[in-house]
Amino acid sequence: MAKFAGVSEATVSRVLRGKPGVSQATRDAVLTALDVFGFARPEPVRSERARLIGLVVPDLSNPIFPAFAEVIGVSLIQRGLVPVLCTRTSDGVSEAHYIEMLLAQQVGGIVFVGSSYADAGPAAIKQLTERKLPIVLINAADENLGVARICVDDAGAAEQALTHLAGLGHEKIGLILGPVGHVPSARKLAGFARFWEERGETRWRRWVDHTVFTVEGGRGAANRLLAAGVTGLVCASDALALGAVRAVRKQGLDVPGDVSVVGFDDSTFMGVTDPPLTTVRQPVRAMAGAAVLSLLQQLEGRPAASEEVLFDPELIVRSTTGPCPVAA
């Protein structure tokens, strides 16, 4: 363990006995090594269990969540903090369960990615509020005031995709979103509505479909929107977009020859799908960095920013978008 921490055994002994004369950086390295090797902390330093940080994500099947988890986890470890990854499971392990577990471990803070502590219910919210635990939300599924919030500009992302497709001659463009009430989806819908209303288009409501964030969900929603005559599809995740591509092909149509498809996230491997997916990229590294910075500020006793921090997305044009067949 001393070798892992890069210190002498004597230094490890001083840290474990709570003796003075050891820098905070060295103490952090030793305590991190203790946690990594699974040793219980002795009484003098047990209160420093707060160096553990909960990292809660909805699932690991959507590549964007592991991407955020990796960047945040590495950043926390570099600062002497130990991330504890928690993800919802199909057998019912929820945010409420994880919050209860993390609080029992005396974690120093929690970062929620793509979910929200509000999902855990009133009891968990009360516990978090009473303990005044440092919390950061990234792309939260619910509106949460008074908490540090890091978000991508979802409305702007929708408008970027729509502007791209409209520039290719598409006049009927569908929007595939997550469940009703999901805040990032609602913000994309607001951008979608604003885009069409500024152009005097009144039919846009029939071009919107809500579903679950899976390939199968995207396929079903795409089939419904193709029946409404759309020639372009803007999707709220890359998984939805891949399902939409599958639906188009199942109908004997071509992507992008007959229907153009745009995803969202720019997840891993989207550049090597068949065809490579046009998508709106989230700035994962910058957003993760801002979340860790906010968490560190709270750990130092400074209050969280009262307003959410918005990050600009970037349209990545690849091969699933092309001219509208009518325009061509």
Side-chain angles (χ1 to χ4, degrees):
M1 188 176 68
K3 183 177 180 181
F4 181 88
V7 300
S8 67
E9 292 184 5
T11 299
V12 172
S13 178
R14 293 183 66 84
V15 172
L16 297 184
R17 287 183 293 152
K19 298 296 183 180
V22 181
S23 70
Q24 185 60 50
T26 299
R27 289 173 62 80
D28 289 342
V30 172
L31 296 175
T32 297
L34 205 67
D35 292 331
V36 168
F37 283 95
F39 295 114
R41 298 189 178 199
E43 192 61 39
V45 295
R46 193 160 295 166
S47 63
E48 295 190 39
R49 193 71 177 177
R51 307 309 289 180
L52 294 177
I53 302 297
L55 181 52
V56 181
V57 300
D59 63 74
L60 296 177
S61 60
N62 186 334
I64 195 64
F65 297 132
F68 270 111
E70 179 182 11
V71 177
I72 294 170
V74 170
S75 184
L76 291 173
I77 290 171
Q78 290 172 341
R79 291 162 172 81
L81 301 170
V82 180
V84 180
L85 182 61
C86 306
T87 179
R88 280 187 302 200
T89 62
S90 57
D91 58 0
V93 179
S94 64
E95 279 90 347
H97 172 86
Y98 283 124
I99 289 173
E100 182 179 349
M101 179 192 73
L102 292 169
L103 290 175
Q105 292 295 318
Q106 300 296 316
V107 295
I110 304 177
V111 179
F112 292 87
V113 182
S115 59
S116 167
Y117 65 88
D119 295 341
I125 294 174
K126 182 180 179 182
Q127 288 189 70
L128 293 173
T129 303
E130 289 176 347
R131 294 204 187 187
K132 299 181 179 179
L133 194 71
I135 294 174
V136 182
L137 307 178
I138 299 178
N139 293 334
D142 305 288
E143 293 286 3
N144 298 272
L145 302 179
V147 182
R149 291 160 291 153
I150 309 296
C151 309
V152 70
D153 183 356
D154 289 291
E159 293 186 51
Q160 282 188 26
L162 288 164
T163 299
H164 170 61
L165 291 176
L168 292 169
H170 294 272
E171 297 179 353
K172 295 182 179 180
I173 304 170
L175 179 66
I176 301 178
L177 298 170
V180 174
H182 179 252
V183 167
S185 292
R187 293 180 177 183
K188 289 183 178 71
L189 179 58
F192 187 82
R194 181 167 60 242
F195 179 89
W196 290 119
E197 287 171 359
E198 287 177 352
R199 288 158 177 76
E201 175 60 69
T202 60
R203 298 170 294 174
W204 63 265
R205 289 179 180 82
R206 71 185 70 172
W207 301 335
V208 177
D209 205 304
H210 291 269
T211 186
V212 292
F213 281 108
T214 63
V215 172
E216 292 74 18
R219 180 176 176 176
N223 281 327
R224 290 187 289 273
L225 292 175
L226 289 172
V230 302
T231 60
L233 290 166
V234 175
C235 305
S237 77
D238 290 336
L240 291 174
L242 294 178
V245 171
R246 183 178 296 181
V248 172
R249 287 177 165 173
K250 191 71 173 178
Q251 293 193 22
L253 302 174
D254 179 68
V255 176
D258 298 301
V259 180
S260 290
V261 178
V262 181
F264 179 76
D265 287 333
D266 194 26
S267 310
T268 305
F269 305 129
M270 291 305 103
V272 293
T273 56
D274 180 25
L277 184 68
T278 295
T279 185
V280 182
R281 175 182 294 167
Q282 289 200 65
V284 171
R285 191 164 297 276
M287 294 173 68
V292 172
L293 178 60
S294 176
L295 183 72
L296 293 173
Q297 290 173 340
Q298 294 179 65
L299 289 172
E300 293 169 357
R302 287 182 277 173
S306 59
E307 296 183 356
E308 67 181 5
V309 180
L310 277 182
F311 283 80
D312 291 330
E314 178 186 5
L315 178 68
I316 307 299
V317 179
R318 296 194 179 105
S319 303
T320 56
T321 52
C324 177
V326 176

